[in-house]
């Protein structure tokens, strides 16, 4: 708890300080997801299955959406906050004349966090930045098992939740259409902790936000991140510029 408060108090002054510009952006992209532990479980289920089941989906990559609020200080250091979300899943199934068997997993996350970036190259309307995002992934996983034959009908449904910490580092290329809008594209890699899956009825504890422990059978959203951005820029007028504007009005 003390570490979280220290982080918030450290970043907050920068977010409310006078900045050169502020932007509000929307990013749509694509992410791949490791899910190594859950994929191993799927492989074991198929190997031990007597119905000839096969994996038809195994946590494939999917669309990723992000909204962010960002400040740039003196055309250099950038700080901001963001929220992103995505989903994936897996399916094991077997169908023949005697019936059908399936295991379906659906996983979702919503990820609040912080952004830091810094330009490493600028030319005309182009700006290349190195960036890092860090924060939390609030995830949910639902697992549905069904077996339907002429003699048996079996259904089972479970839900889980988890909170992972993540960090994503990469490059962000921006093209400024004018002083009010820019387009961008980013390429990075995200790594997260693999925190224990919990049942939804387990009460949330603040300590989960700073839990770096990892387990094998967990949600793991680590993978590549590619995205495209459109953003609106809100330039703040400095005191110097305000004085110049007042002088212009007075001189008229």
């Amino acid at each position: 708890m003390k570490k979280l408060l220290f982080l918030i108090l450290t970043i907050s002054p920068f977010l409310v300080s006078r900045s050169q510009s502020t932007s509000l952006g929307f990013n749509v992209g694509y992410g791949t997801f490791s899910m190594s532990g859950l994929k191993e479980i799927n492989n074991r289920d198929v190997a031990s299955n007597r119905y000839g089941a096969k994996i038809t989906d195994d946590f494939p990559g999917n669309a990723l959406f992000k909204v962010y609020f960002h400040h740039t200080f003196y055309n250099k250091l950038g700080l901001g906050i963001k929220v992103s979300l995505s989903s994936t899943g897996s399916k094991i199934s077997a169908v023949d004349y005697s019936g059908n068997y399936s295991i379906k997993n659906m996983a979702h996350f919503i990820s609040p966090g912080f952004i830091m970036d810094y330009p490493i190259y600028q030319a005309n309307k182009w700006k290349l930045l190195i960036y890092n995002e860090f924060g939390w992934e609030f995830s949910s996983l639902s697992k549905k098992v069904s077996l339907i034959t002429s003699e048996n009908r079996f259904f089972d449904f479970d839900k889980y939740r988890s909170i992972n910490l993540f960090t994503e580092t990469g490059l962000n290329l921006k093209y400024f259409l004018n002083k009010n809008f820019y387009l961008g594209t980013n390429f990075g890699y995200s790594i997260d902790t693999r925190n224990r899956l919990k049942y939804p009825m387990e009460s949330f504890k603040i300590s989960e936000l700073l839990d770096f422990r990892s387990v094998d059978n967990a949600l793991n959203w680590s993978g590549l991140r590619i995205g495209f951005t459109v953003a609106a820029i809100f330039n703040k007028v400095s005191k110097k510029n305000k004085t110049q504007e007042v002088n212009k009005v007075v001189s008229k």
Side-chain angles (χ1 to χ4, degrees):
M1 182 63 181
K2 291 182 179 179
K3 294 180 180 179
L4 178 61
L5 288 173
F6 176 77
L7 178 64
I8 294 172
L9 291 173
T10 302
I11 294 177
S12 295
F14 291 100
L15 296 180
V16 299
S17 299
R18 187 182 71 182
S19 62
Q20 179 179 342
S21 64
T22 302
S23 60
L24 179 64
F26 177 73
N27 179 285
V28 59
Y30 179 82
T32 63
F33 311 121
S34 173
M35 298 295 178
S36 54
L38 298 185
K39 287 180 179 180
E40 289 181 9
I41 293 176
N42 281 347
N43 290 331
R44 291 199 298 267
D45 286 341
V46 169
S48 61
N49 186 273
R50 61 188 179 89
Y51 301 104
K54 296 181 179 180
I55 299 174
T56 56
D57 285 300
D58 203 13
F59 300 103
N62 201 3
L64 192 150
F65 304 95
K66 182 191 307 179
V67 177
Y68 65 86
F69 182 76
H70 181 271
H71 288 264
T72 300
F73 298 87
Y74 305 106
N75 206 33
K76 293 293 184 180
L77 176 66
L79 296 174
I81 55 176
K82 69 93 188 185
V83 177
S84 60
L85 58 91
S86 189
S87 63
T88 187
S90 70
K91 183 177 180 181
I92 298 173
S93 64
V95 180
D96 61 20
Y97 67 91
S98 62
N100 66 73
Y101 169 82
S102 70
I103 301 177
K104 296 180 181 179
N105 290 297
M106 284 298 301
H108 306 263
F109 78 81
I110 180 167
S111 175
F114 303 97
I115 305 169
M116 298 179 64
D117 58 34
Y118 193 85
I120 56 177
Y121 178 76
Q122 298 184 67
N124 298 322
K125 295 184 177 183
W126 296 92
K127 182 185 288 188
L128 180 64
L129 305 97
I130 185 169
Y131 76 87
N132 180 262
E133 296 183 6
F134 57 97
W136 301 270
E137 294 162 342
F138 292 83
S139 306
S140 64
L141 173 69
S142 61
K143 183 174 184 178
K144 181 179 180 181
V145 180
S146 66
L147 172 63
I148 302 174
T149 67
S150 57
E151 299 178 351
N152 297 296
R153 286 180 175 269
F154 172 79
F155 299 95
D156 187 40
F157 182 78
D158 284 308
K159 292 193 70 174
Y160 307 90
R161 68 169 184 87
S162 69
I163 301 176
N164 293 344
L165 289 93
F166 83 94
T167 180
E168 176 187 334
T169 301
L171 295 174
N172 189 0
L173 180 63
K174 296 180 180 180
Y175 177 75
F176 293 83
L177 298 172
N178 51 49
K179 66 178 182 180
N180 297 317
F181 295 96
Y182 73 79
L183 302 177
T185 181
N186 66 280
F187 181 85
Y189 194 88
S190 180
I191 300 174
D192 69 7
T193 58
R194 303 184 303 276
N195 212 323
R196 181 176 66 88
L197 290 171
K198 306 174 182 67
Y199 288 106
M201 65 281 296
E202 290 189 53
S203 59
F204 167 77
K205 298 178 180 178
I206 294 295
S207 59
E208 294 181 50
L209 297 176
L210 294 173
D211 189 348
F212 289 86
R213 290 175 296 179
S214 295
V215 299
D216 292 332
N217 301 331
L219 290 167
N220 182 6
W221 299 97
S222 299
L224 294 174
R225 300 291 186 265
I226 302 171
F228 300 93
T229 299
V230 58
I233 305 170
F234 307 95
N235 288 303
K236 288 189 175 182
V237 180
S238 66
K239 291 182 179 180
K240 181 179 179 181
N241 290 336
K242 284 182 179 179
T243 302
Q244 290 175 348
E245 290 177 4
V246 170
N247 290 337
K248 287 181 181 179
V249 173
V250 172
S251 64
K252 291 181 180 180

